[in-house]
Amino acid sequence: MELPDLPILRLDFRLRAEAPVTLPPFLGSTLRGAFGNALKKVFCFVPHETTENCWFAEACPYQYIFESKNLGNIPSYELHNMLRGQKEFPHPYVLIPPAPVPKIRLNSMQEMRPDRNFNDDFQPNRFSRGESLNFSLLLIGKAVRHWAHVLVAVRLLASNGLGEDAARAPFSLTAAFAHDAKGRNLEIFSEENKRVMTQEVAPVNLAQLVGLKIENLKDRMLSSGENKLKIEFLTPTSQRILLQGKATGQLGFSSLIKKITERIEFLTFLHSERPQKIDYRSVLTETEDFCLTDNSLHFYRYKQHSERQARMIQRDVFLGNISYQGEKLKKMLPFLKAGEILSVGADTPHGFGRFIIEV
């Protein structure tokens, strides 16, 4: 089955620290919270205490992008059965933060301890004055319309600063780039040229983007003569996508493809310019013959403070490598590559679930 015509626009940002600051080992939640605060200031122009009381809730880009509630009051019978009863829908953006850097090489004993604290094994992000922080945002579907406002929000995010209140450090947005249909990075803003270059900024649909990226993978598989590949999870990934959702389980190939295809279905129905209902269940019948050839996943408890909920939130996550082999692997490459672009699992707006494919 083919991938949908779902618009995608990737924006890359380069920030410069204006004062020394130490940030957590994984910056996804830090950047996501700062982005949400800035985006709300960019769009919100009506006085109210909460978004629930907003006069323009159904037309509010902030609520659509960042909170992704059922603002259009889509009837439950029209929704995918896994979205029924959900207070929030999959968001139309993906945060791509820097990958966390491990302190030491993990051994097998550490790998099998699911209660291990993530921050114990990864280095804090320490920035001296003048050092750069790079991250990206992937806008999906109708959210692409608001890319210029997102750029303004990131500039505000930088000037507001990052870090705990007592040790918050300001940053400056020094450059911003947009990816074009050929995957090239086009500079659309720099601190030297204050004018934003808008003419060549245009989304590319998911099917086209995947088509551009998988040819090289197919060629490498053909030259090696082997139907196998490795997937490396670069950022914390929710353990919910594991077989049985447990650290003692394995990430079966069918479980991974199921989560990826469901994510494509949800995003396409909710966020494409014209709602498209697609059903990839038939794809799953072709994933039963794949075997796991290597499992080097590391399991953690990841804790973060939620400003909105005013409490600590704990997540069970994993990172690391896993390898698969199967005769129909080439047929599954478009879905795997789509998952690489869109990330997988819960909390992708926090930067979770980012992986790359290696052949």
Side-chain angles (χ1 to χ4, degrees), residues 217-277:
L217 283 174
K218 288 181 178 179
D219 291 343
R220 294 211 302 265
M221 288 182 68
L222 185 62
S223 62
S224 68
E226 297 181 340
N227 290 311
K228 64 180 182 180
L229 55 74
K230 180 173 76 173
I231 293 176
E232 180 180 2
F233 289 91
L234 300 175
T235 63
T237 303
S238 172
Q239 288 185 23
R240 295 182 207 172
I241 72 171
L242 290 167
L243 181 64
Q244 301 174 342
K246 298 177 181 178
T248 53
Q250 297 177 345
L251 177 53
F253 190 79
S254 59
S255 297
L256 178 60
I257 293 295
K258 183 174 186 291
K259 289 298 182 181
I260 290 173
T261 52
E262 285 177 351
R263 179 157 168 75
I264 297 170
E265 291 175 14
F266 298 160
L267 293 174
T268 302
F269 174 73
L270 295 169
H271 303 303
S272 57
E273 292 291 345
R274 295 180 180 178
Q276 305 170 53
K277 279 193 173 181

Short mmCIF file of all heavy atoms in Angstrom, two decimals, residues 217-277:
data_model
loop_
_atom_site.label_atom_id
_atom_site.label_comp_id
_atom_site.label_asym_id
_atom_site.label_seq_id
_atom_site.Cartn_x
_atom_site.Cartn_y
_atom_site.Cartn_z
N LEU A 217 18.93 3.19 0.58
CA LEU A 217 18.82 2.00 1.44
C LEU A 217 18.62 0.74 0.60
O LEU A 217 19.23 -0.30 0.86
CB LEU A 217 17.64 2.17 2.40
CG LEU A 217 17.84 3.07 3.61
CD1 LEU A 217 16.53 3.22 4.38
CD2 LEU A 217 18.93 2.52 4.53
N LYS A 218 17.75 0.82 -0.40
CA LYS A 218 17.51 -0.34 -1.28
C LYS A 218 18.78 -0.75 -2.01
O LYS A 218 19.09 -1.95 -2.13
CB LYS A 218 16.41 -0.01 -2.28
CG LYS A 218 15.02 0.06 -1.68
CD LYS A 218 13.99 0.37 -2.75
CE LYS A 218 12.58 0.39 -2.18
NZ LYS A 218 11.57 0.71 -3.22
N ASP A 219 19.53 0.25 -2.49
CA ASP A 219 20.79 -0.05 -3.20
C ASP A 219 21.78 -0.75 -2.28
O ASP A 219 22.46 -1.70 -2.70
CB ASP A 219 21.39 1.23 -3.76
CG ASP A 219 20.57 1.81 -4.90
OD1 ASP A 219 19.75 1.07 -5.47
OD2 ASP A 219 20.74 3.01 -5.21
N ARG A 220 21.87 -0.29 -1.04
CA ARG A 220 22.82 -0.89 -0.10
C ARG A 220 22.40 -2.32 0.26
O ARG A 220 23.25 -3.20 0.42
CB ARG A 220 22.93 -0.02 1.17
CG ARG A 220 23.56 1.34 0.91
CD ARG A 220 24.33 1.87 2.10
NE ARG A 220 23.52 1.98 3.29
CZ ARG A 220 22.91 3.09 3.69
NH1 ARG A 220 22.99 4.18 2.95
NH2 ARG A 220 22.23 3.12 4.82
N MET A 221 21.09 -2.54 0.41
CA MET A 221 20.62 -3.90 0.68
C MET A 221 20.90 -4.81 -0.50
O MET A 221 21.27 -5.97 -0.33
CB MET A 221 19.13 -3.88 0.99
CG MET A 221 18.79 -3.28 2.35
SD MET A 221 17.02 -3.31 2.71
CE MET A 221 16.76 -5.07 2.87
N LEU A 222 20.73 -4.29 -1.72
CA LEU A 222 20.98 -5.09 -2.92
C LEU A 222 22.45 -5.45 -3.03
O LEU A 222 22.80 -6.59 -3.36
CB LEU A 222 20.52 -4.30 -4.16
CG LEU A 222 20.60 -5.04 -5.49
CD1 LEU A 222 19.68 -6.26 -5.48
CD2 LEU A 222 20.22 -4.11 -6.63
N SER A 223 23.34 -4.51 -2.75
CA SER A 223 24.77 -4.76 -2.87
C SER A 223 25.26 -5.73 -1.79
O SER A 223 26.19 -6.50 -2.01
CB SER A 223 25.55 -3.45 -2.78
OG SER A 223 25.36 -2.82 -1.53
N SER A 224 24.64 -5.68 -0.61
CA SER A 224 25.05 -6.59 0.47
C SER A 224 24.51 -8.00 0.27
O SER A 224 25.05 -8.97 0.79
CB SER A 224 24.58 -6.05 1.83
OG SER A 224 23.17 -6.10 1.92
N GLY A 225 23.40 -8.10 -0.49
CA GLY A 225 22.79 -9.40 -0.73
C GLY A 225 22.09 -9.98 0.48
O GLY A 225 21.76 -11.16 0.50
N GLU A 226 21.83 -9.15 1.50
CA GLU A 226 21.19 -9.64 2.73
C GLU A 226 19.94 -8.81 3.04
O GLU A 226 19.96 -7.59 2.89
CB GLU A 226 22.16 -9.58 3.91
CG GLU A 226 23.39 -10.48 3.74
CD GLU A 226 24.31 -10.39 4.95
OE1 GLU A 226 24.20 -9.39 5.69
OE2 GLU A 226 25.12 -11.30 5.14
N ASN A 227 18.90 -9.48 3.46
CA ASN A 227 17.66 -8.81 3.84
C ASN A 227 17.64 -8.57 5.35
O ASN A 227 16.90 -9.21 6.10
CB ASN A 227 16.44 -9.64 3.43
CG ASN A 227 16.26 -9.67 1.93
OD1 ASN A 227 16.28 -8.62 1.28
ND2 ASN A 227 16.11 -10.86 1.38
N LYS A 228 18.50 -7.68 5.80
CA LYS A 228 18.53 -7.36 7.22
C LYS A 228 18.91 -5.89 7.40
O LYS A 228 19.54 -5.28 6.52
CB LYS A 228 19.50 -8.26 7.98
CG LYS A 228 20.97 -8.12 7.58
CD LYS A 228 21.84 -9.07 8.41
CE LYS A 228 23.31 -8.93 8.07
NZ LYS A 228 24.15 -9.85 8.87
N LEU A 229 18.52 -5.34 8.54
CA LEU A 229 18.86 -3.94 8.85
C LEU A 229 18.88 -3.76 10.36
O LEU A 229 18.37 -4.58 11.13
CB LEU A 229 17.87 -2.97 8.18
CG LEU A 229 16.38 -3.10 8.42
CD1 LEU A 229 15.95 -2.63 9.80
CD2 LEU A 229 15.61 -2.28 7.38
N LYS A 230 19.47 -2.65 10.76
CA LYS A 230 19.54 -2.29 12.18
C LYS A 230 18.80 -0.99 12.39
O LYS A 230 18.87 -0.08 11.56
CB LYS A 230 21.01 -2.14 12.62
CG LYS A 230 21.16 -1.77 14.09
CD LYS A 230 22.61 -1.79 14.54
CE LYS A 230 23.37 -0.57 14.04
NZ LYS A 230 24.74 -0.48 14.61
N ILE A 231 18.10 -0.89 13.50
CA ILE A 231 17.40 0.34 13.89
C ILE A 231 18.01 0.82 15.19
O ILE A 231 18.12 0.07 16.17
CB ILE A 231 15.90 0.09 14.05
CG1 ILE A 231 15.27 -0.24 12.69
CG2 ILE A 231 15.21 1.30 14.67
CD1 ILE A 231 13.82 -0.58 12.75
N GLU A 232 18.44 2.09 15.19
CA GLU A 232 19.03 2.68 16.39
C GLU A 232 18.10 3.75 16.93
O GLU A 232 17.78 4.73 16.25
CB GLU A 232 20.40 3.30 16.08
CG GLU A 232 21.05 3.92 17.31
CD GLU A 232 22.41 4.53 17.02
OE1 GLU A 232 22.84 4.52 15.84
OE2 GLU A 232 23.04 5.04 17.98
N PHE A 233 17.64 3.56 18.16
CA PHE A 233 16.79 4.53 18.83
C PHE A 233 17.69 5.57 19.49
O PHE A 233 18.43 5.26 20.44
CB PHE A 233 15.88 3.85 19.84
CG PHE A 233 14.80 3.02 19.19
CD1 PHE A 233 15.01 1.68 18.91
CD2 PHE A 233 13.60 3.60 18.84
CE1 PHE A 233 14.03 0.92 18.29
CE2 PHE A 233 12.61 2.85 18.22
CZ PHE A 233 12.82 1.51 17.94
N LEU A 234 17.61 6.81 19.01
CA LEU A 234 18.52 7.86 19.43
C LEU A 234 18.03 8.62 20.65
O LEU A 234 18.83 9.20 21.39
CB LEU A 234 18.73 8.86 18.28
CG LEU A 234 19.32 8.30 16.99
CD1 LEU A 234 19.35 9.37 15.92
CD2 LEU A 234 20.71 7.75 17.22
N THR A 235 16.72 8.69 20.83
CA THR A 235 16.15 9.41 21.97
C THR A 235 15.26 8.46 22.75
O THR A 235 14.83 7.41 22.24
CB THR A 235 15.33 10.64 21.51
OG1 THR A 235 14.21 10.19 20.72
CG2 THR A 235 16.18 11.59 20.70
N PRO A 236 14.95 8.79 24.01
CA PRO A 236 14.08 7.91 24.80
C PRO A 236 12.80 7.58 24.04
O PRO A 236 12.19 8.45 23.42
CB PRO A 236 13.79 8.74 26.05
CG PRO A 236 14.96 9.67 26.16
CD PRO A 236 15.36 10.00 24.77
N THR A 237 12.41 6.32 24.09
CA THR A 237 11.24 5.84 23.37
C THR A 237 10.33 5.11 24.35
O THR A 237 10.79 4.31 25.15
CB THR A 237 11.65 4.90 22.23
OG1 THR A 237 12.55 5.59 21.36
CG2 THR A 237 10.44 4.43 21.43
N SER A 238 9.04 5.40 24.28
CA SER A 238 8.09 4.81 25.22
C SER A 238 8.10 3.29 25.13
O SER A 238 8.04 2.71 24.04
CB SER A 238 6.69 5.34 24.93
OG SER A 238 5.73 4.64 25.71
N GLN A 239 8.14 2.64 26.29
CA GLN A 239 8.12 1.18 26.32
C GLN A 239 6.77 0.60 25.91
O GLN A 239 6.63 -0.61 25.76
CB GLN A 239 8.50 0.68 27.72
CG GLN A 239 9.96 0.87 28.05
CD GLN A 239 10.34 0.26 29.40
OE1 GLN A 239 9.65 -0.63 29.89
NE2 GLN A 239 11.40 0.75 30.00
N ARG A 240 5.78 1.47 25.70
CA ARG A 240 4.47 0.96 25.29
C ARG A 240 4.51 0.25 23.94
O ARG A 240 3.62 -0.53 23.63
CB ARG A 240 3.47 2.12 25.20
CG ARG A 240 3.17 2.80 26.52
CD ARG A 240 2.13 3.88 26.29
NE ARG A 240 2.24 4.94 27.29
CZ ARG A 240 1.57 6.08 27.23
NH1 ARG A 240 0.74 6.29 26.22
NH2 ARG A 240 1.73 7.00 28.16
N ILE A 241 5.52 0.55 23.12
CA ILE A 241 5.57 -0.10 21.81
C ILE A 241 6.26 -1.46 21.88
O ILE A 241 6.29 -2.20 20.90
CB ILE A 241 6.27 0.78 20.74
CG1 ILE A 241 7.79 0.85 20.98
CG2 ILE A 241 5.69 2.15 20.70
CD1 ILE A 241 8.52 1.51 19.83
N LEU A 242 6.78 -1.82 23.07
CA LEU A 242 7.40 -3.13 23.23
C LEU A 242 6.35 -4.23 23.27
O LEU A 242 5.20 -4.01 23.62
CB LEU A 242 8.21 -3.20 24.53
CG LEU A 242 9.49 -2.37 24.61
CD1 LEU A 242 9.97 -2.31 26.04
CD2 LEU A 242 10.56 -2.98 23.73
N LEU A 243 6.77 -5.43 22.90
CA LEU A 243 5.91 -6.59 23.06
C LEU A 243 5.54 -6.72 24.53
O LEU A 243 6.42 -6.78 25.39
CB LEU A 243 6.64 -7.86 22.59
CG LEU A 243 5.85 -9.16 22.65
CD1 LEU A 243 4.66 -9.11 21.71
CD2 LEU A 243 6.75 -10.33 22.31
N GLN A 244 4.26 -6.72 24.83
CA GLN A 244 3.72 -6.79 26.19
C GLN A 244 4.03 -5.54 27.00
O GLN A 244 3.69 -5.48 28.18
CB GLN A 244 4.25 -8.02 26.95
CG GLN A 244 3.91 -9.34 26.25
CD GLN A 244 4.57 -10.52 26.93
OE1 GLN A 244 5.51 -10.37 27.70
NE2 GLN A 244 4.08 -11.70 26.63
N GLY A 245 4.65 -4.51 26.38
CA GLY A 245 4.91 -3.27 27.07
C GLY A 245 5.83 -3.41 28.27
O GLY A 245 5.76 -2.64 29.22
N LYS A 246 6.71 -4.39 28.25
CA LYS A 246 7.58 -4.63 29.39
C LYS A 246 9.04 -4.61 28.95
O LYS A 246 9.38 -5.00 27.84
CB LYS A 246 7.27 -5.98 30.04
CG LYS A 246 5.85 -6.09 30.59
CD LYS A 246 5.60 -7.48 31.15
CE LYS A 246 4.19 -7.61 31.67
NZ LYS A 246 3.91 -8.98 32.18
N ALA A 247 9.90 -4.17 29.86
CA ALA A 247 11.33 -4.14 29.55
C ALA A 247 11.90 -5.53 29.35
O ALA A 247 12.93 -5.69 28.72
CB ALA A 247 12.08 -3.43 30.68
N THR A 248 11.23 -6.54 29.88
CA THR A 248 11.72 -7.91 29.70
C THR A 248 11.27 -8.48 28.36
O THR A 248 11.70 -9.55 27.97
CB THR A 248 11.20 -8.82 30.83
OG1 THR A 248 9.77 -8.68 30.90
CG2 THR A 248 11.81 -8.42 32.15
N GLY A 249 10.37 -7.76 27.67
CA GLY A 249 9.91 -8.23 26.37
C GLY A 249 10.84 -7.79 25.26
O GLY A 249 11.89 -7.23 25.48
N GLN A 250 10.42 -8.06 24.03
CA GLN A 250 11.20 -7.67 22.87
C GLN A 250 10.37 -6.75 22.00
O GLN A 250 9.14 -6.75 22.05
CB GLN A 250 11.60 -8.91 22.06
CG GLN A 250 12.51 -9.87 22.79
CD GLN A 250 12.81 -11.11 21.96
OE1 GLN A 250 12.14 -11.38 20.97
NE2 GLN A 250 13.82 -11.85 22.36
N LEU A 251 11.05 -5.96 21.20
CA LEU A 251 10.37 -5.11 20.24
C LEU A 251 10.23 -5.91 18.95
O LEU A 251 11.12 -5.91 18.11
CB LEU A 251 11.14 -3.81 20.01
CG LEU A 251 10.55 -2.86 18.97
CD1 LEU A 251 9.09 -2.56 19.25
CD2 LEU A 251 11.35 -1.57 18.91
N GLY A 252 9.13 -6.63 18.82
CA GLY A 252 8.90 -7.42 17.62
C GLY A 252 8.71 -6.53 16.41
O GLY A 252 8.22 -5.40 16.52
N PHE A 253 9.07 -7.04 15.26
CA PHE A 253 8.95 -6.25 14.03
C PHE A 253 7.49 -5.86 13.78
O PHE A 253 7.20 -4.73 13.39
CB PHE A 253 9.50 -7.05 12.84
CG PHE A 253 9.64 -6.24 11.59
CD1 PHE A 253 10.71 -5.38 11.41
CD2 PHE A 253 8.68 -6.32 10.59
CE1 PHE A 253 10.82 -4.61 10.25
CE2 PHE A 253 8.79 -5.58 9.43
CZ PHE A 253 9.86 -4.72 9.27
N SER A 254 6.58 -6.78 14.00
CA SER A 254 5.16 -6.47 13.77
C SER A 254 4.67 -5.39 14.72
O SER A 254 3.86 -4.54 14.34
CB SER A 254 4.30 -7.73 13.92
OG SER A 254 4.45 -8.29 15.21
N SER A 255 5.18 -5.38 15.98
CA SER A 255 4.79 -4.34 16.94
C SER A 255 5.27 -2.97 16.47
O SER A 255 4.54 -1.97 16.57
CB SER A 255 5.37 -4.64 18.32
OG SER A 255 4.86 -5.84 18.83
N LEU A 256 6.49 -2.92 15.96
CA LEU A 256 7.03 -1.66 15.47
C LEU A 256 6.25 -1.15 14.27
O LEU A 256 5.86 0.03 14.21
CB LEU A 256 8.51 -1.84 15.11
CG LEU A 256 9.23 -0.61 14.54
CD1 LEU A 256 9.20 0.56 15.52
CD2 LEU A 256 10.67 -0.96 14.16
N ILE A 257 6.00 -2.02 13.29
CA ILE A 257 5.26 -1.61 12.09
C ILE A 257 3.83 -1.20 12.46
O ILE A 257 3.27 -0.25 11.89
CB ILE A 257 5.25 -2.74 11.05
CG1 ILE A 257 6.67 -2.97 10.50
CG2 ILE A 257 4.31 -2.40 9.90
CD1 ILE A 257 7.23 -1.79 9.72
N LYS A 258 3.23 -1.90 13.40
CA LYS A 258 1.88 -1.56 13.84
C LYS A 258 1.83 -0.14 14.38
O LYS A 258 0.93 0.65 14.05
CB LYS A 258 1.40 -2.55 14.90
CG LYS A 258 -0.04 -2.34 15.38
CD LYS A 258 -0.45 -3.46 16.33
CE LYS A 258 -1.92 -3.34 16.72
NZ LYS A 258 -2.19 -2.17 17.57
N LYS A 259 2.79 0.23 15.24
CA LYS A 259 2.80 1.57 15.81
C LYS A 259 3.07 2.63 14.75
O LYS A 259 2.50 3.72 14.77
CB LYS A 259 3.85 1.66 16.92
CG LYS A 259 3.48 0.90 18.18
CD LYS A 259 2.22 1.46 18.81
CE LYS A 259 1.87 0.76 20.10
NZ LYS A 259 0.63 1.29 20.72
N ILE A 260 3.96 2.32 13.80
CA ILE A 260 4.27 3.28 12.74
C ILE A 260 3.05 3.50 11.83
O ILE A 260 2.68 4.64 11.53
CB ILE A 260 5.47 2.79 11.90
CG1 ILE A 260 6.76 2.87 12.73
CG2 ILE A 260 5.61 3.63 10.63
CD1 ILE A 260 7.96 2.25 12.04
N THR A 261 2.42 2.41 11.40
CA THR A 261 1.28 2.55 10.49
C THR A 261 0.08 3.22 11.17
O THR A 261 -0.63 4.01 10.54
CB THR A 261 0.87 1.19 9.90
OG1 THR A 261 0.66 0.24 10.96
CG2 THR A 261 1.94 0.66 8.97
N GLU A 262 -0.15 2.91 12.44
CA GLU A 262 -1.22 3.60 13.16
C GLU A 262 -0.94 5.09 13.24
O GLU A 262 -1.86 5.92 13.07
CB GLU A 262 -1.37 3.02 14.57
CG GLU A 262 -2.04 1.67 14.62
CD GLU A 262 -2.09 1.08 16.01
OE1 GLU A 262 -1.46 1.66 16.94
OE2 GLU A 262 -2.77 0.05 16.18
N ARG A 263 0.29 5.45 13.47
CA ARG A 263 0.65 6.87 13.56
C ARG A 263 0.39 7.57 12.22
O ARG A 263 -0.13 8.69 12.17
CB ARG A 263 2.11 7.01 13.98
CG ARG A 263 2.61 8.45 14.08
CD ARG A 263 3.80 8.55 15.00
NE ARG A 263 4.46 9.83 14.91
CZ ARG A 263 3.99 10.96 15.44
NH1 ARG A 263 2.83 10.96 16.06
NH2 ARG A 263 4.67 12.09 15.33
N ILE A 264 0.75 6.92 11.12
CA ILE A 264 0.48 7.50 9.80
C ILE A 264 -1.02 7.66 9.59
O ILE A 264 -1.49 8.69 9.09
CB ILE A 264 1.10 6.62 8.69
CG1 ILE A 264 2.62 6.56 8.83
CG2 ILE A 264 0.73 7.18 7.31
CD1 ILE A 264 3.28 5.54 7.93
N GLU A 265 -1.79 6.64 9.97
CA GLU A 265 -3.25 6.71 9.84
C GLU A 265 -3.82 7.89 10.62
O GLU A 265 -4.64 8.67 10.10
CB GLU A 265 -3.89 5.41 10.33
CG GLU A 265 -3.63 4.21 9.45
CD GLU A 265 -4.19 2.93 10.07
OE1 GLU A 265 -5.00 3.02 11.02
OE2 GLU A 265 -3.82 1.84 9.61
N PHE A 266 -3.40 8.04 11.89
CA PHE A 266 -3.93 9.10 12.75
C PHE A 266 -3.59 10.48 12.18
O PHE A 266 -4.45 11.36 12.05
CB PHE A 266 -3.35 8.99 14.16
CG PHE A 266 -3.68 7.72 14.89
CD1 PHE A 266 -2.91 7.32 15.96
CD2 PHE A 266 -4.74 6.92 14.50
CE1 PHE A 266 -3.20 6.15 16.65
CE2 PHE A 266 -5.05 5.75 15.16
CZ PHE A 266 -4.27 5.36 16.25
N LEU A 267 -2.31 10.69 11.85
CA LEU A 267 -1.87 12.00 11.39
C LEU A 267 -2.53 12.38 10.06
O LEU A 267 -2.89 13.54 9.85
CB LEU A 267 -0.34 12.01 11.22
CG LEU A 267 0.47 11.90 12.51
CD1 LEU A 267 1.96 11.77 12.19
CD2 LEU A 267 0.25 13.10 13.43
N THR A 268 -2.70 11.40 9.20
CA THR A 268 -3.31 11.68 7.89
C THR A 268 -4.78 12.06 8.05
O THR A 268 -5.26 13.01 7.41
CB THR A 268 -3.18 10.46 6.98
OG1 THR A 268 -1.80 10.12 6.83
CG2 THR A 268 -3.77 10.73 5.60
N PHE A 269 -5.50 11.36 8.89
CA PHE A 269 -6.92 11.66 9.09
C PHE A 269 -7.11 13.01 9.78
O PHE A 269 -7.97 13.81 9.41
CB PHE A 269 -7.59 10.57 9.91
CG PHE A 269 -9.02 10.90 10.26
CD1 PHE A 269 -10.02 10.85 9.29
CD2 PHE A 269 -9.37 11.28 11.54
CE1 PHE A 269 -11.33 11.17 9.61
CE2 PHE A 269 -10.68 11.61 11.87
CZ PHE A 269 -11.67 11.55 10.90
N LEU A 270 -6.30 13.30 10.78
CA LEU A 270 -6.50 14.49 11.61
C LEU A 270 -5.92 15.76 11.00
O LEU A 270 -6.47 16.85 11.19
CB LEU A 270 -5.87 14.28 12.99
CG LEU A 270 -6.48 13.20 13.87
CD1 LEU A 270 -5.59 12.93 15.07
CD2 LEU A 270 -7.88 13.62 14.32
N HIS A 271 -4.80 15.64 10.26
CA HIS A 271 -4.03 16.85 9.94
C HIS A 271 -3.81 17.11 8.45
O HIS A 271 -3.27 18.17 8.09
CB HIS A 271 -2.69 16.82 10.65
CG HIS A 271 -2.81 16.70 12.14
ND1 HIS A 271 -3.53 17.60 12.89
CD2 HIS A 271 -2.32 15.78 13.02
CE1 HIS A 271 -3.46 17.25 14.18
NE2 HIS A 271 -2.74 16.15 14.27
N SER A 272 -4.16 16.20 7.57
CA SER A 272 -3.99 16.48 6.15
C SER A 272 -5.02 17.53 5.72
O SER A 272 -6.05 17.72 6.37
CB SER A 272 -4.15 15.21 5.30
OG SER A 272 -5.39 14.60 5.54
N GLU A 273 -4.71 18.24 4.63
CA GLU A 273 -5.60 19.32 4.18
C GLU A 273 -6.99 18.78 3.88
O GLU A 273 -8.00 19.44 4.18
CB GLU A 273 -5.01 19.99 2.94
CG GLU A 273 -3.72 20.78 3.21
CD GLU A 273 -3.98 22.03 4.04
OE1 GLU A 273 -5.15 22.45 4.17
OE2 GLU A 273 -3.01 22.61 4.57
N ARG A 274 -7.06 17.60 3.31
CA ARG A 274 -8.33 16.92 3.09
C ARG A 274 -8.27 15.60 3.85
O ARG A 274 -7.45 14.75 3.51
CB ARG A 274 -8.57 16.66 1.61
CG ARG A 274 -8.74 17.93 0.78
CD ARG A 274 -8.98 17.59 -0.67
NE ARG A 274 -9.14 18.80 -1.48
CZ ARG A 274 -9.34 18.79 -2.80
NH1 ARG A 274 -9.37 17.63 -3.45
NH2 ARG A 274 -9.49 19.92 -3.47
N PRO A 275 -9.09 15.44 4.89
CA PRO A 275 -9.02 14.22 5.70
C PRO A 275 -9.05 12.95 4.85
O PRO A 275 -9.90 12.79 3.98
CB PRO A 275 -10.27 14.31 6.59
CG PRO A 275 -10.54 15.78 6.68
CD PRO A 275 -10.15 16.35 5.34
N GLN A 276 -8.07 12.09 5.10
CA GLN A 276 -7.97 10.84 4.35
C GLN A 276 -8.05 9.68 5.34
O GLN A 276 -7.32 9.65 6.31
CB GLN A 276 -6.64 10.76 3.60
CG GLN A 276 -6.36 11.94 2.68
CD GLN A 276 -4.93 11.90 2.16
OE1 GLN A 276 -4.49 10.89 1.61
NE2 GLN A 276 -4.21 12.99 2.32
N LYS A 277 -8.94 8.76 5.10
CA LYS A 277 -9.01 7.57 5.92
C LYS A 277 -8.28 6.44 5.22
O LYS A 277 -8.63 6.04 4.11
CB LYS A 277 -10.47 7.17 6.16
CG LYS A 277 -11.15 7.97 7.27
CD LYS A 277 -12.47 7.34 7.67
CE LYS A 277 -13.05 8.05 8.88
NZ LYS A 277 -14.34 7.43 9.31
#
